[in-house]
Amino acid sequence: MSYEFHVTAMLIVIFIAALAMFLLRRSNNRLSIRIGLISWIALSAYFFIETIIIRATTAPYSFLNQPMSDLGVTTCGTDTYVLASYAICSPYHWLMNWTFFLTGLAILIGAVLIYPLWPKVRSTKVASVFIGIFGVSYGISGIIPADIDFNWHTLSALPGMVVQIPAMILISIAIYRKLPRIFWWTIICTTITSAALFSLFLQPVFTSLPGGLLQRVLYASVYIWLTGTSIGLWSRKLSR
């Protein structure tokens, strides 16, 4: 299947998801919240899927040093994009790009549909927007692989490396009295993702730092936070 076919299919999914979110928010608040919570819990599947894709690569792939984007490169060989002077061959690149796309979409859906569960303050509204931007940024990585257009792939991914941190800080400020367990969970995950981002900034100086691992920690800490937070919100909601 061609790259153009995948992009068309992804755009159709976006349209259907947008329409579904609009209808759910208008007609059934309880169902929409539940779908939002499930969307964030489903993020834990990313780690299982990535493991399958890494095992299927036919060129050596370094989990510690290579970026996640290499798994979505659509061609095999060397110099597939600007910074890749090494060999890349990921037969399941289509699965990786769909995983990037659907992961970002799930984050965005959760940000929109779970919003009513947060305290009704300005900071949670801003935080939800930031989480939505995080999801959109991540999803575009699947629509535009690095070898198709490296500049757009990189530029679209940059917001998703940063916006989750102020989002998590704003959430923690809003919930520290009402949701103390989720507050401390948020603080722990914020600290981890912030440390990973800071370490990535240091990598040009300290070249021995494992860039691939740091990138995974940067994103995985957010996935785990969203999954754990949704479970905490669900148990609190159901216990009422």
Side-chain angles (χ1 to χ4, degrees):
M1 291 180 286
S2 67
Y3 167 70
E4 291 76 13
F5 174 84
H6 285 290
V7 172
T8 302
M10 289 174 180
L11 293 176
I12 292 171
V13 170
I14 290 172
F15 174 77
I16 294 172
L19 180 61
M21 282 192 291
F22 175 76
L23 294 175
L24 282 168
R25 286 297 302 272
R26 287 179 62 88
S27 63
N28 194 325
N29 190 55
R30 182 181 292 273
L31 177 61
S32 67
I33 290 174
R34 187 161 296 186
I35 290 174
L37 293 170
I38 292 171
S39 295
W40 279 4
I41 293 171
L43 295 173
S44 56
Y46 173 88
F47 306 104
F48 175 71
I49 296 171
E50 189 191 56
T51 300
I52 294 173
I53 296 167
I54 290 174
R55 290 175 64 88
T57 56
T58 55
Y61 181 84
S62 173
F63 178 86
L64 295 178
N65 297 309
Q66 286 183 245
M68 298 153 63
S69 297
D70 283 0
L71 297 171
V73 168
T74 63
T75 54
C76 292
T78 57
D79 299 311
T80 52
Y81 63 90
V82 176
L83 301 179
S85 58
Y86 46 85
I88 295 175
C89 194
S90 178
Y92 287 0
H93 59 83
W94 59 272
L95 178 58
M96 189 75 257
N97 289 322
W98 270 98
T99 302
F100 287 149
F101 170 70
L102 292 176
T103 297
L105 186 61
I107 293 169
L108 175 61
I109 290 172
V112 173
L113 299 183
I114 291 174
Y115 172 72
L117 295 182
W118 297 122
K120 301 300 183 289
V121 293
R122 183 183 179 85
S123 60
T124 57
K125 182 177 292 186
V126 175
S128 295
V129 171
F130 282 160
I131 295 171
I133 292 172
F134 176 80
V136 171
S137 173
Y138 196 86
I140 291 175
S141 298
I143 298 176
I144 310 174
D147 63 315
I148 298 297
D149 192 317
F150 178 74
N151 291 331
W152 278 110
H153 176 85
T154 303
L155 289 172
S156 63
L158 288 177
M161 298 179 68
V162 179
V163 292
Q164 77 276 19
I165 296 174
M168 295 163 82
I169 292 172
L170 289 170
I171 291 289
S172 65
I173 291 171
I175 66 172
Y176 79 99
R177 287 183 178 174
K178 294 184 178 181
L179 302 167
R181 291 183 179 178
I182 297 178
F183 165 77
W184 285 111
W185 172 244
T186 303
I187 292 297
I188 292 169
C189 294
T190 303
T191 302
I192 294 171
T193 194
S194 299
L197 180 62
F198 180 71
S199 299
L200 279 172
F201 285 147
L202 293 178
Q203 194 188 20
V205 179
F206 301 99
T207 55
S208 61
L209 289 172
L213 178 62
L214 290 173
Q215 185 192 43
R216 284 176 168 80
V217 172
L218 176 70
Y219 290 117
S221 57
V222 185
Y223 302 159
I224 293 170
W225 172 66
L226 292 171
T227 299
T229 297
S230 60
I231 292 171
L233 289 172
W234 193 317
S235 62
R236 182 175 182 270
K237 178 175 178 287
L238 294 179
S239 64
R240 289 180 176 179

